Amino acid sequence: MPQRRRRNVRPEDTWLLHNASDPQISPDGTRIAYTVASRNQDKDRLDSQVWVSGLDGSAARSFTNGTRSHSPRWSPDGRSLAFVSNRGDRSQLYVASLDGGDPQRLTRARHGVGQPAWSPDGQRIAYVAAVGEETPHEDKSPTDRSAPRVIRDLYFRFDGTGMYDGRRRHVFSIDVASGEAQQLTDGDWNDAAPSWSPDGTKLVFSSDRSAERRDRLAHPDVWVVGAKGGRVRRLTRGRGSATGPRFSPDGEWVAFVGHEYPDQETARNLHLMVVASRGPLRAPRSLSADLDRSPLGAFGPPVQTFAWLPDSQGLVFLGEDRGSTVLFRADLSGGAGKRLLEGDRTIDSLTLAPDGRRVAFSSSWSSAFSEIWTASLSRSASPRAVSDLNADLRARVQLSLTERMTYRSFDGLEVEAFVLHPRGARRKRRPLVLHIHGGPHAAHPSAYSPIYFQSLVAAGYVVLLPNPRGSSSYGEDFSRACVGDWGGGDYRDLMAGVDRMVELGIADPERLYVGGYSYGGYMSSWIVGQTDRFRAAAIGAPLSNLTSAFSTGDIPHVLADELGGTPLAVPEAYVRRSPLTYLENAKTPVQLAHWEGDLRCPIGQSEEVFSALKLRGVEVEMLRYPGGSHVGRTPSQDIDSTRRTLDWYAAHAPAATRASGS
C-alpha cells in the first residue's frame, strides 16, 4: 500500500497533538503509567487521562475516563494505581485495581486534592488539600459581595491562581481500606510535595513558614512531620529555597532542588542538594555545583525530576544544558556529576526502575512530538520510545529538523542559536523570523510547542531561535550576564545572530520579522524602538513600562533583583530599560497579543505599547483574548494567535514578494 505523502504543519494540527508527562514505573519494573493530555475540540479545553502499558510499550491503554485524570502512583505491591481525577466534584483521590473494576473514590475534599504519595506499607496515601474559606465573598448577600477586598500583603495574587483567599494547602493522609482521613499539618501557610520515609513513620514536605512570607517570593524550607501528625521539624536553615524533598532509600538523607542564596536572584543556578534527615540542623550540601548547570525544579505541577539510586549513594537528575535537558548522575561522595543521557530533547519528568538500571522519561523537541521513552543506565544504548501517542500526526505532517549554530557577538562572546529551515534548496535567501524566548533566564527551543515553530517554517520562513546572554543552561555567569543590562548586550547578541544569517546568505535582509512572548515580548518591543530593520513584529505579553510593571505584576521582587532595586531606589534604571521610552523612534508595524487574565505581565503593558504607537501613527493592532493567564489559554486561542501571527507577517511582505507568492 503506497505511503501517504506528508504535508506541511498547520496551526490547526494543535487539535491532534498529545502530550505525555509524569511517567511512573511499576514496583516490579514491568509496566509504566503516565499522563496523556489531549485537546478536546468540542469543549475547547485540555483533557487528560492516565495510561498504562508494558515497559516495552506493549498493551498500551487508557486506564481512566472523565475530563481530567492525572498523577498516577503505583501501590507498593503494584496491584493498584492511585490517581487524581475531576469527575464533577473537584479533583479527588481514586484508587483502581489493575485487574479491573470501578475505581474507589477515597476523598471528598471541598476544594479538591493533589500530590498523592503511597506509604511504604501500602495502607495509607498522603496528599495535599486546601482548607479554609474559598473566597471572602462566597455565600454572602449582594450587599456583602460588594464590599472591598482588603489587601495588606505584597504578594496577594499569583498568575494562574488568581487572588489569594482564606484557603491554605496542608498535608493529609488517608487510610485506603477505611477511607478515614487525617490532617497532618496546619497553620497560616501552604505545604506541598509530601514524601514518606522508608519506614513509613515520617513525611517530608516543603513549606514557607517564615514571618516574611507574605511580602516576598516564596522561600520554602524542608520540614518533617510524623505519620500521625504532631510537631513539625525543619531540616533546612531558612536561607534559601527547597522544593520536592525525598528521603533516600536508607532514610539517612533528604534530597531536594533549591539553594541557600540570601536573595532571590532568578539568574543564579539551582542545585541538587542533600541534608541529613536526623540530628542537629546542618547546612545542606550541593551535589551539582561542579556542573555549573541548574537541575530542573518541580515548580509547576508536582512531577519527579530526580530519583535516588537504590543504594542511597547517589541520585540521577534532570538538568539544563545548552538548550536541552540532560540526565546526570551525582554521588554523595562528591565530585563532578556524570552525564548519563545527552541529545537534543526537552525532558519534563523522569522515573527510575526499582533496580536502578533503567529510567523512563517524557520528552519532546521543536522537531519531535511528546512521547514516553526508556533508556538503560548501564550501557550506552539509544533511548527507545514506549508510547506512540502522536503516530497519526507524524504520519500526516513533515517536520523540519532543528539545527544548532554558533556565532560571535559584538564583544566576542560565543552565542548559540537553533535554526529551522523550510524544505527545499537552501541556496535561496529566505524571509527570516527572529523569535526571542521568555525568561529572560530560559532557553530555546524548549518553552514552545513544536506546532508554532513548524507552522512558521511551513509558511516559508527560516526561524532563528537564539539563546543570548541571560539565557539559562549555559552556566551561571552566562545567565547573570543580562542582570542590570536588559536591552543591552542581550539585544546586541540577537542582532548579531540576524547579521550572521544575512552574511551566510540564508536570510533576505529585506524580509526580516521579529516576535517573542513575555521577555521575548519585552525584547521585541525594545527592538522596534531601536531599529527599523524588521518589516513587522508580533509581540506577545510584553513588559513595556517597567515602573508600572513593578507595581501591577504578581512578582515585583524579580524586577527589583534584575534592575538593582525598586523604582523608588533606582528610577532611572526603570526608565532607561523600558521599551516604552524608545517607542517614539518606532516605525515597524506591530501586532500585540495578550490575555486579559495575565497577572505576570499584565495586559496594561500591551495597552501602553498600543497607545504609544497609535498616537505616533505607527501601524498597530492588538489581539485581546478573554480569560487565560500568562501561560494558560484555550486550544482555539492558541491556534488563533498562531494563525494571526502568520497572517501579520504575510501582510507585511514586500509587495513584489506578495505578488509572486514566494
Side-chain angles (χ1 to χ4, degrees):
M1 188 173 181
Q3 189 175 17
R4 180 171 56 184
R5 178 180 174 83
R6 290 185 290 175
R7 58 170 174 78
N8 287 333
V9 172
R10 304 165 183 161
E12 292 74 20
D13 290 325
T14 298
W15 292 119
L16 305 176
L17 188 65
H18 301 277
N19 297 93
S21 64
D22 198 11
Q24 301 286 321
I25 296 178
S26 63
D28 64 3
T30 64
R31 291 173 292 187
I32 187 169
Y34 50 92
T35 301
V36 177
S38 306
R39 281 81 183 162
N40 184 326
Q41 191 165 0
D42 291 335
K43 301 292 187 179
D44 192 16
R45 70 186 181 205
L46 200 65
D47 290 345
S48 61
Q49 302 298 339
V50 173
W51 281 54
V52 174
S53 77
L55 195 58
D56 59 359
S58 61
R61 63 188 175 99
S62 178
F63 186 73
T64 61
N65 54 39
T67 61
R68 183 168 171 77
S69 299
H70 57 92
S71 303
R73 298 295 182 264
W74 293 95
S75 61
D77 63 8
R79 298 173 60 184
S80 302
L81 263 182
F83 59 92
V84 176
S85 185
N86 185 339
R87 304 189 175 197
D89 187 18
R90 303 287 179 116
S91 293
Q92 304 294 343
L93 181 62
Y94 291 79
V95 173
S97 169
L98 269 292
D99 296 329
D102 292 333
Q104 173 192 1
R105 175 174 167 174
L106 292 184
T107 61
R108 299 186 180 278
R110 179 182 178 188
H111 305 301
V113 308
Q115 307 174 37
W118 285 88
S119 63
D121 61 8
Q123 295 183 17
R124 303 188 70 84
I125 299 175
Y127 59 91
V128 170
V131 297
E133 291 300 316
E134 186 167 2
T135 96
H137 301 287
E138 190 179 61
D139 300 326
K140 303 293 184 181
S141 69
T143 302
D144 291 335
R145 282 199 297 269
S146 66
R149 186 187 297 266
V150 179
I151 305 298
R152 296 187 177 93
D153 305 329
L154 180 61
Y155 285 87
F156 62 92
R157 58 187 171 180
F158 198 75
D159 186 72
T161 299
M163 294 283 189
Y164 292 148
D165 52 32
R167 293 178 296 173
R168 299 292 182 265
R169 297 188 306 274
H170 289 297
V171 178
F172 290 72
S173 76
I174 190 166
D175 184 274
V176 176
S178 69
E180 181 181 350
Q182 180 183 5
Q183 184 173 337
L184 304 182
T185 65
D186 58 15
D188 188 19
W189 38 68
N190 291 300
D191 304 325
S195 181
W196 293 85
S197 62
D199 62 6
T201 63
K202 299 182 289 293
L203 295 101
V204 286
F205 61 96
S206 62
S207 182
D208 185 354
R209 301 184 172 204
S210 65
E212 305 86 4
R213 64 188 176 278
R214 294 184 181 88
D215 294 321
R216 69 174 190 183
L217 287 171
H219 280 248
D221 278 290
V222 175
W223 299 79
V224 176
V225 66
K228 296 182 180 180
R231 186 176 179 180
V232 300
R233 181 168 62 93
R234 194 178 68 192
L235 293 185
T236 50
R237 302 189 295 174
R239 301 183 182 182
S241 183
T243 62
R246 287 180 175 268
F247 276 101
S248 59
D250 63 10
E252 296 298 316
W253 301 92
V254 172
F256 60 92
V257 173
H259 61 77
E260 275 210 325
Y261 306 136
D263 54 28
Q264 191 75 13
E265 186 183 316
T266 57
R268 300 190 67 174
N269 285 342
L270 295 172
H271 294 268
L272 179 66
M273 307 189 80
V274 292
V275 66
S277 65
R278 287 188 269 263
L281 190 65
R282 302 174 187 173
R285 180 162 55 97
S286 173
L287 301 184
S288 61
D290 290 343
L291 292 169
D292 192 24
R293 295 292 188 270
S294 278
L296 297 191
F299 295 104
V303 295
Q304 191 170 349
T305 59
F306 67 85
W308 282 96
L309 294 168
D311 62 4
S312 298
Q313 297 306 300
L315 302 98
V316 295
F317 66 97
L318 300 174
E320 302 176 310
D321 186 55
R322 298 180 58 235
S324 299
T325 310
V326 171
L327 180 65
F328 293 97
R329 171 177 174 151
D331 294 322
L332 285 181
S333 58
K338 178 183 178 183
R339 295 166 185 260
L340 299 178
L341 181 66
E342 300 182 89
D344 285 344
R345 58 178 64 88
T346 299
I347 305 177
D348 305 305
S349 52
L350 65 77
T351 178
L352 189 65
D355 61 7
R357 296 180 179 178
R358 182 167 290 275
V359 67
F361 56 89
S362 53
S363 172
S364 63
W365 191 241
S366 49
S367 301
F369 300 126
S370 174
E371 300 291 354
I372 300 293
W373 298 74
T374 63
S376 170
L377 300 185
S378 58
R379 61 180 184 274
S380 58
S382 298
R384 181 171 52 83
V386 172
S387 67
D388 199 15
L389 301 167
N390 288 293
D392 182 56
L393 187 53
R394 281 193 296 272
R396 295 183 186 214
V397 301
Q398 176 72 41
L399 294 176
S400 294
L401 297 178
T402 304
E403 301 176 2
R404 291 177 183 264
M405 67 171 285
T406 58
Y407 58 89
R408 294 288 175 181
S409 191
F410 69 100
D411 57 357
L413 180 71
E414 184 177 83
V415 177
E416 187 168 48
F418 297 84
V419 184
L420 287 82
H421 294 271
R423 283 185 288 173
R426 295 194 182 184
R427 288 173 291 183
K428 177 183 177 182
R429 287 188 181 269
R430 301 274 193 172
L432 176 106
V433 171
L434 167 65
H435 189 88
I436 308 163
H437 66 67
H441 311 300
H444 270 318
S446 63
Y448 292 85
S449 162
I451 298 294
Y452 181 77
F453 294 140
Q454 295 288 338
S455 295
L456 288 171
V457 174
Y461 299 98
V462 174
V463 179
L464 177 65
L465 309 174
N467 284 332
R469 68 192 70 199
S471 301
S472 61
S473 76
Y474 295 88
E476 189 171 283
D477 288 345
F478 194 91
S479 180
R480 299 184 75 186
C482 78
V483 175
D485 190 40
W486 285 21
D490 47 4
Y491 162 67
R492 298 177 72 179
D493 292 346
L494 295 167
M495 299 308 295
V498 174
D499 291 340
R500 182 59 177 159
M501 296 295 283
V502 172
E503 180 184 315
L504 291 172
I506 297 171
D508 183 346
E510 300 302 317
R511 292 187 289 170
L512 302 177
Y513 304 85
V514 63
Y517 191 85
S518 192
Y519 187 79
Y522 163 89
M523 191 56 68
S524 301
S525 302
W526 181 273
I527 283 174
V528 301
Q530 306 293 323
T531 178
D532 60 0
R533 290 182 63 182
F534 296 93
R535 297 198 64 86
I539 299 173
L543 292 180
S544 60
N545 180 343
L546 299 184
T547 301
S548 61
F550 176 89
S551 303
T552 59
D554 66 335
I555 49 174
H557 273 105
V558 171
L559 277 178
D561 289 339
E562 292 286 328
L563 298 179
T566 69
L568 294 176
V570 288
E572 70 286 348
Y574 281 75
V575 174
R576 188 169 69 253
R577 300 297 174 185
S578 290
L580 193 67
T581 302
Y582 307 98
L583 289 183
E584 63 180 11
N585 305 318
K587 300 177 182 177
T588 306
V590 168
Q591 180 190 74
L592 295 152
H594 221 125
W595 274 258
E596 292 178 340
D598 191 339
L599 298 179
R600 183 63 38 84
C601 300
I603 196 168
Q605 296 295 300
S606 278
E607 293 171 338
E608 293 198 46
V609 175
F610 180 85
S611 297
L613 295 180
K614 200 69 177 177
L615 289 171
R616 276 192 43 76
V618 178
E619 183 183 0
V620 59
E621 70 175 30
M622 183 175 178
L623 311 177
R624 189 183 181 103
Y625 289 99
S629 64
H630 192 55
V631 295
R633 68 284 311 271
T634 67
S636 67
Q637 289 175 337
D638 201 16
I639 293 167
D640 184 78
S641 63
T642 300
R643 174 58 64 194
R644 289 179 185 274
T645 296
L646 291 169
D647 292 345
W648 183 256
Y649 288 156
H652 293 88
T657 302
R658 292 199 301 271
S660 65
S662 61

